Amino acid sequence: MPFLDIIVFPGLLFLLFLAFFCEWLDRKAVAKLQNRVGPKHTGPEGILQPFADFIKLLSNEDIIPAAVDRIMFSLGPILILTLSLMPLFLIPIAGSSALVWFEGDLIFIMFVMTLRIIITFLSAWSSTNRFSMIGGMRVILQMLAFEIPLTIAMTGPAISARSLSLSKIVQFQASEHLLLLAQPLGFVIVTICLLAELRMVPFDIPKAKTEIVKGWFVEFSGKKLALLRLTEDFELVLAASLMVSLYLGGPIGPWQTQSVLYFFTKLVICILILSNLRALFARFRIDQALKGAWKYLTPLALIQVILVELMPMVIP
Amino acid sequence: MGLISWARKKSPWALHFNTGSCNGCDIEVVAAFTPRFDLERFGIILQGSPRHADVLVATGPVVRQTKDRLVRIYEQMPNPKCVVAVGTCAISGAPFTGSYNIHGGIDKVIPVDIYVSGCPPKPEAIINGLIQAIKKYEKKQ
């Protein structure tokens, strides 16, 4: 039943619920770390809060300012949502192979993530607001800096598994060992780069609230804002599930068992790591972030790849 | 329709704007978002851009310099929207009434839904005011 797979499980509906759940989990975890309560009165323990936000934004007035480029401004949020949803279909969630998979889908995921950032820049530029233009420029700068160490570090698992497919990497981890044990450095680099790539808190420079209001999505309201917020939730799921499938073995449990529950548990752990970092750090300046990426992360990623190649020679 | 009014009741996002206040009310508004009072319990988040906000929390008397800005920010907010005037100055202009550079309370310039009195009002009073605003906001189309 490929149709049911795409629409219900592990397709669109499941991912939608997962995205809302992850936003709730993230907000609750950050609130807990800041000694607050977080969303409380929307459903049990506020679990329906992201859903309520989404419905409210959909019902709000959708303003298109007079000065914007109408086509790009209206198309932007839809394209960004599609492009952030697409890589999720390539990630093995229920079994050891994904809904769609082919040799080289790791490269495809990287390509889609780059494309998404270019669309982000275009829609920021087309909203003709000074803040969103600055935000758009920062999005591009950050992508240029962090794409390179991310790609280099992601080749580590690919070299170990001798395959450029995420599903194959997960199957390799099922038969051999978790790649987190072999490449802890790579895991750290990928986590930092994903934070930057998906513009989460220590690297939320493009939408810094206190200096450029809300950065690249300052002009979006109503339905467009709802789609953009949903995109952010999907990106959170994407970041966590990339970490899970590259280094933690995806839906693989102990004793060669496979279940979506294992995937879910690992996903929750990864999201807790990400929200812990979000509560722990303040925002970097743009030059600090770029300097960090070029001076430390790229060489470290190269060292990781060299280690991956050398390790089998030293320890047979 | 029931779903939409439920969603509106559960997630009113606030925008804080200082129209010329002495900063007393602003500290109390910000205090309402701190761990001790935590307005996020009710789904209220402080937003940066007027395009994202539903409730305008305005503090202080409207001075000549901020009048145009206040109107502009109010017009930039998407419908439905409501305004909460926080503090005695925001209600009437208080000690500055009749001064050459004061227009008076917020309601001289834009329609106000809820008034929270006090100089400055306690965070509990602001929370109460925002809850009243939510009740009004839920019914708006």
Side-chain angles (χ1 to χ4, degrees), chain A residues 27 34-41 49 52-53 56 59-61 63 209 213-214 217-221 229, chain B residues 4 6-8 10-11 13 35 38 40-43 45-46 48-49 51-52 54 76 78-80 137:
Chain A
R27 275 168 78 167
Q34 291 174 345
N35 213 359
R36 290 187 291 128
V37 182
K40 176 83 176 161
H41 298 293
Q49 188 63 52
D53 290 348
K56 181 209 71 177
S59 74
N60 266 3
E61 187 191 2
I63 303 172
K209 203 164 156 186
V213 191
K214 198 74 177 169
F217 61 79
V218 66
E219 282 292 342
F220 294 97
S221 64
R229 279 184 60 89
Chain B
I4 289 175
W6 169 81
R8 285 199 183 138
K10 293 299 185 187
S11 94
W13 290 350
D38 192 19
E40 206 191 351
R41 281 180 298 157
F42 307 106
I45 315 176
L46 206 55
S49 161
R51 296 256 192 248
H52 304 171
D54 310 297
Q76 277 178 340
N79 278 321
Y137 172 67

Side-chain angles (χ1 to χ4, degrees), chain A residues 67-78:
Chain A
V68 302
D69 181 334
R70 291 181 76 96
I71 296 171
M72 198 56 225
F73 189 73
S74 325
L75 262 179
I78 302 169

Side-chain angles (χ1 to χ4, degrees), chain A:
Chain A
M1 282 293 219
F3 182 73
L4 261 184
D5 279 0
I6 289 167
I7 300 293
V8 184
F9 179 84
L12 281 171
L13 269 177
F14 175 72
L15 290 174
L16 196 64
F17 282 116
L18 199 62
F20 284 146
F21 173 78
C22 289
E23 191 198 332
W24 170 78
L25 187 71
D26 179 52
R27 275 168 78 167
K28 268 299 206 196
V30 171
K32 200 54 111 187
L33 289 167
Q34 291 174 345
N35 213 359
R36 290 187 291 128
V37 182
K40 176 83 176 161
H41 298 293
T42 318
E45 286 297 311
I47 197 163
L48 292 175
Q49 188 63 52
F51 181 65
D53 290 348
F54 185 67
I55 297 287
K56 181 209 71 177
L57 286 174
L58 278 184
S59 74
N60 266 3
E61 187 191 2
D62 199 350
I63 303 172
I64 299 183
V68 302
D69 181 334
R70 291 181 76 96
I71 296 171
M72 198 56 225
F73 189 73
S74 325
L75 262 179
I78 302 169
L79 282 176
I80 296 170
L81 179 66
T82 320
L83 289 176
S84 69
L85 190 55
M86 214 193 310
L88 281 170
F89 285 96
L90 299 168
I91 284 166
I93 292 176
S96 63
S97 60
L99 212 55
V100 187
W101 75 277
F102 48 87
E103 190 57 50
D105 58 11
L106 199 61
I107 294 174
F108 182 72
I109 289 175
M110 290 308 300
F111 167 69
V112 168
M113 279 168 81
T114 315
L115 204 61
R116 186 180 53 81
I117 285 166
I118 291 167
I119 303 277
T120 307
F121 171 74
L122 278 179
S123 51
W125 194 260
S126 66
S127 56
T128 57
N129 183 307
R130 290 161 209 79
F131 297 122
S132 66
M133 281 179 183
I134 296 174
M137 291 309 292
R138 290 182 180 187
V139 167
I140 287 284
L141 278 174
Q142 208 162 301
M143 178 204 71
L144 281 176
F146 283 91
E147 198 96 307
I148 291 159
L150 179 63
T151 315
I152 296 173
M154 268 175 158
T155 49
I159 291 170
S160 292
R162 303 275 160 212
S163 166
L164 270 172
S165 156
L166 260 185
S167 303
K168 282 276 177 62
I169 291 172
V170 167
Q171 284 156 20
F172 168 79
Q173 293 180 74
S175 57
E176 302 279 322
H177 53 80
L178 293 190
L179 282 165
L180 175 66
L181 305 174
Q183 308 176 12
L185 183 63
F187 181 71
V188 173
I189 294 168
V190 164
T191 309
I192 296 171
C193 289
L194 280 172
L195 275 175
E197 192 80 350
L198 305 175
R199 304 179 292 274
M200 287 176 207
V201 156
F203 302 102
D204 65 336
I205 309 157
K207 54 181 184 187
K209 203 164 156 186
T210 42
E211 41 180 310
I212 49 171
V213 191
K214 198 74 177 169
W216 65 275
F217 61 79
V218 66
E219 282 292 342
F220 294 97
S221 64
K223 290 181 191 64
K224 298 188 183 69
L225 184 62
L227 294 186
L228 287 175
R229 279 184 60 89
L230 187 61
T231 309
E232 290 203 323
D233 299 347
F234 278 133
E235 283 171 353
L236 185 63
V237 177
L238 178 63
S241 51
L242 269 180
M243 283 156 71
V244 168
S245 17
L246 281 174
Y247 289 98
L248 300 173
I252 307 294
W255 301 292
Q256 304 292 324
T257 45
Q258 286 180 12
S259 163
V260 68
L261 285 176
Y262 289 124
F263 181 85
F264 192 69
T265 320
K266 290 169 185 172
L267 191 78
V268 166
I269 292 170
C270 283
I271 283 177
L272 289 180
I273 293 174
L274 291 177
S275 42
N276 201 345
L277 292 173
R278 183 154 94 89
L280 208 59
F281 286 107
R283 186 171 47 242
F284 291 115
R285 280 200 320 266
I286 182 79
D287 60 317
Q288 288 169 333
L290 298 189
K291 207 182 275 175
W294 290 112
K295 262 170 112 173
Y296 303 109
L297 283 182
T298 312
L300 279 176
L302 282 170
I303 289 173
Q304 174 63 59
V305 171
I306 294 167
L307 279 179
V308 171
E309 279 292 319
L310 287 183
M311 277 298 243
M313 298 178 198
V314 183
I315 314 161

Side-chain angles (χ1 to χ4, degrees), chain B residues 60-81:
Chain B
V62 182
V63 296
R64 280 193 182 187
Q65 203 173 23
T66 53
K67 187 200 162 207
D68 295 341
R69 275 94 174 170
L70 180 63
V71 172
R72 197 160 172 192
I73 281 184
Y74 181 73
E75 282 168 353
Q76 277 178 340
M77 284 165 64
N79 278 321
K81 53 195 165 190

